[in-house]
Amino acid sequence: MSIFNKANILLPECVDMEKWSVVACDQYTAQPEYWKKAEELVGNNPSTLNIVYPEAFLSEGDGRIEKINATMKEYISKNIFAVLKDSLVYVERTMNSGKIRRGIVGSIDLEEYDFSKGSKSAIRATEGTILERIPPRVKIREKAPLELPHAILLVNDEKDGIFAGIDKSNPLYDFDLMAGGNHIAGWRLSGASADTVIDKINKFAKTAPDNLVFAVGDGNHSLATAKTCWENLKKNLSKEEQHKHPARYCLVEIENIHDKALEFEPIHRVVFGKTFNDVKSDLSKVYNISNTAVENSQEIVLVQGKATDKVYVTNPSSNLTVGTLQNFLDKMGYELDYIHGDDVVRQLSDRDDAVGFILPCPKKSDLFETVILDGALPRKTFSMGEANEKRFYLEAKKII
């Protein structure tokens, strides 16, 4: 069995695809109005909106979970899905920049994935998993007959060999996504076309440094939930049953971290209730600080409104500047927020008792190295695009 495999992928037939496909449930969590507008657009039409649980509405509790599971069973019984047997799906997603981001949807073996820090598994989390976030998600998944992926796994394929020469002779869908999600198109890969991709991945896996083949770029907690459910389930299965059980294999999209359309953005920090002098004094208690750059030091940029100051940590605690900074912030227990955009950081820190930290954009080449060296990236290290560029639910797979 390969680390990445074909699957019996479900796609709806005879539905309005724009209304069917909705953005990942962990987006717009503080904007329930986005989801209300999605509900208005969907109306009574079949939609993934009815079979996922937007986190903006988690307060609705178990009643919504029961409705989700019932709707999944209804969609299955009404045969709204076509089954793409033993297939992969090649995806091209138009981004806000106009660039095309490429992906391949298939299944991974959850036995090859371990989200614990320091794991040496072939598939690893890129950020620390917050264990308290898993049980509510398990409750949603454990009785669900279907899974719909929003997890994106990254492969460090600098030569772009895996995506070269993809077969686009069998189109599946081509439509505009709702609410400014731009455009998406997909092609079925089956038979020799799918086997060629899997063979490339298998060959690539043999040379992956430290056995790290896939790093989870988006959907860390979604994948951790699938793993937890599988570990609970397999306790009562024989070895043969475990091998065949569909819940062992999780549907994901893989993307090349070197894809030109895959853009990383830094996530900055703002600390409240502290002054410039407070923060610099505390930094000097935790790290060795220099006012000038020295070999192997990391630059910390502090701002307060239009004012900017810099210090250099000569004994960093992480491979990345953001990790060194986050370790300090965690140790101090400051009140803080995570912010996109330099201008927003300066705006929020434009007061006597706030300090912003503007972080460098992480290099794509640093991600895999840091997961290998540090075990995982610090939380909120980077964002893969804006909210409307996140993965939309589209394909599905049975897990019972």
Side-chain angles (χ1 to χ4, degrees):
M1 179 66 68
S2 302
I3 186 173
F4 185 72
N5 301 285
K6 294 177 281 189
N8 294 334
I9 297 174
L10 306 181
L11 269 181
E13 293 184 298
C14 304
V15 304
D16 184 328
M17 293 299 283
E18 182 181 1
K19 294 176 180 177
W20 169 259
S21 189
V22 300
V23 77
C25 65
D26 59 349
Q27 300 303 304
Y28 302 104
T29 55
Q31 297 169 265
E33 63 274 11
Y34 173 93
W35 294 100
K36 291 295 185 183
K37 288 180 180 177
E39 288 177 351
E40 292 171 6
L41 175 65
V42 166
N44 294 322
N45 293 279
S47 176
T48 55
L49 180 61
N50 301 323
I51 50 177
V52 299
Y53 203 151
E55 294 186 8
F57 301 130
L58 282 180
S59 60
E60 294 182 14
D62 293 356
R64 185 153 184 154
I65 296 174
E66 293 169 4
K67 187 176 180 181
I68 288 168
N69 290 339
T71 305
M72 286 183 175
K73 292 173 183 176
E74 176 190 341
Y75 286 175
I76 294 170
S77 67
K78 289 184 175 180
N79 296 315
I80 76 163
F81 294 110
V83 181
L84 309 178
K85 190 170 176 60
D86 294 327
S87 297
L88 305 173
V89 175
Y90 170 62
V91 177
E92 289 186 350
R93 172 77 181 277
T94 303
M95 312 307 290
N96 292 336
S97 64
K99 295 178 181 177
I100 305 296
R101 193 177 75 196
R102 305 159 301 155
I104 302 171
V105 178
S107 68
I108 57 163
D109 184 350
L110 289 170
E111 291 292 327
E112 299 284 352
Y113 164 64
D114 182 355
F115 58 82
S116 59
K117 187 169 183 177
S119 161
K120 294 298 180 181
S121 58
I123 306 169
R124 301 179 205 170
T126 51
E127 65 179 26
T129 304
I130 303 172
L131 298 180
E132 312 89 76
R133 294 178 63 181
I134 295 179
R137 290 165 171 77
V138 167
K139 189 177 289 189
I140 295 169
R141 183 183 174 92
E142 61 187 354
K143 294 182 180 179
L146 299 174
E147 66 173 5
L148 296 97
H150 80 251
I152 295 177
L153 272 55
L154 301 174
V155 59
N156 190 20
D157 183 12
E158 291 189 63
K159 296 181 179 179
D160 203 32
I162 292 170
F163 283 83
I166 289 280
D167 180 7
K168 294 172 65 174
S169 63
N170 196 348
L172 288 171
Y173 51 77
D174 190 343
F175 64 97
D176 289 333
L177 294 161
M178 69 166 68
N182 292 303
H183 194 85
I184 193 166
W187 293 261
R188 182 182 183 181
L189 304 178
S190 59
S193 296
D195 291 339
T196 297
V197 171
I198 291 170
D199 287 345
K200 287 181 178 180
I201 293 172
N202 288 338
K203 289 177 183 177
F204 179 86
K206 291 178 182 178
T207 63
D210 200 47
N211 188 44
L212 176 56
V213 182
F214 294 123
V216 185
D218 256 349
N220 272 288
H221 288 87
S222 174
L223 205 58
T225 299
K227 174 71 169 181
T228 302
C229 286
W230 168 240
E231 291 296 326
N232 293 338
L233 183 62
K234 78 176 188 181
K235 295 173 185 176
N236 299 314
L237 300 175
S238 68
K239 291 293 184 183
E240 183 178 357
E241 289 171 329
Q242 288 180 24
H243 183 73
K244 295 179 179 179
H245 202 288
R248 171 174 170 166
Y249 306 97
C250 186
L251 209 59
V252 300
E253 180 176 333
I254 65 168
E255 296 181 0
N256 185 4
I257 194 172
H258 299 286
D259 191 316
K260 293 180 180 177
L262 183 59
E263 298 179 350
F264 284 8
E265 298 178 0
I267 303 177
H268 307 302
R269 277 80 168 143
V270 175
V271 165
F272 300 100
K274 297 292 176 179
T275 66
F276 249 22
N277 289 337
D278 290 337
V279 172
K280 290 179 70 173
S281 174
D282 288 342
L283 266 169
S284 65
K285 294 174 185 175
V286 176
Y287 294 122
N288 296 329
I289 301 298
S290 170
N291 290 322
T292 57
V294 298
E295 187 177 1
N296 297 323
S297 64
Q298 292 177 346
E299 181 184 78
I300 304 289
V301 179
L302 303 90
V303 301
Q304 195 169 55
K306 294 180 180 180
T308 302
D309 200 356
K310 298 177 182 179
V311 297
Y312 298 87
V313 176
T314 62
N315 59 335
S317 59
S318 171
N319 187 53
L320 296 180
T321 302
V322 64
T324 297
L325 175 62
Q326 190 64 47
N327 290 338
F328 163 72
L329 296 174
D330 289 344
K331 183 177 182 68
M332 300 311 300
Y334 291 151
E335 178 191 351
L336 76 154
D337 201 357
Y338 300 91
I339 306 296
H340 294 267
D342 297 20
D343 53 343
V344 180
V345 174
R346 291 189 179 278
Q347 179 184 345
L348 292 175
S349 65
D350 192 13
R351 45 191 264 195
D352 292 337
D353 63 343
V355 178
F357 297 91
I358 293 181
L359 287 153
C361 188
K363 297 177 182 177
K364 292 181 178 182
S365 57
D366 285 344
L367 186 143
F368 278 75
E369 181 183 358
T370 302
V371 171
I372 291 170
L373 292 175
D374 292 356
L377 300 175
R379 65 181 178 275
K380 304 290 187 182
T381 296
F382 66 92
S383 174
M384 287 171 47
E386 300 297 328
N388 67 342
E389 296 181 321
K390 300 298 183 180
R391 190 171 205 282
F392 275 58
Y393 299 108
L394 184 48
E395 301 85 359
K397 183 177 79 69
K398 287 186 178 180
I399 53 174
I400 60 171

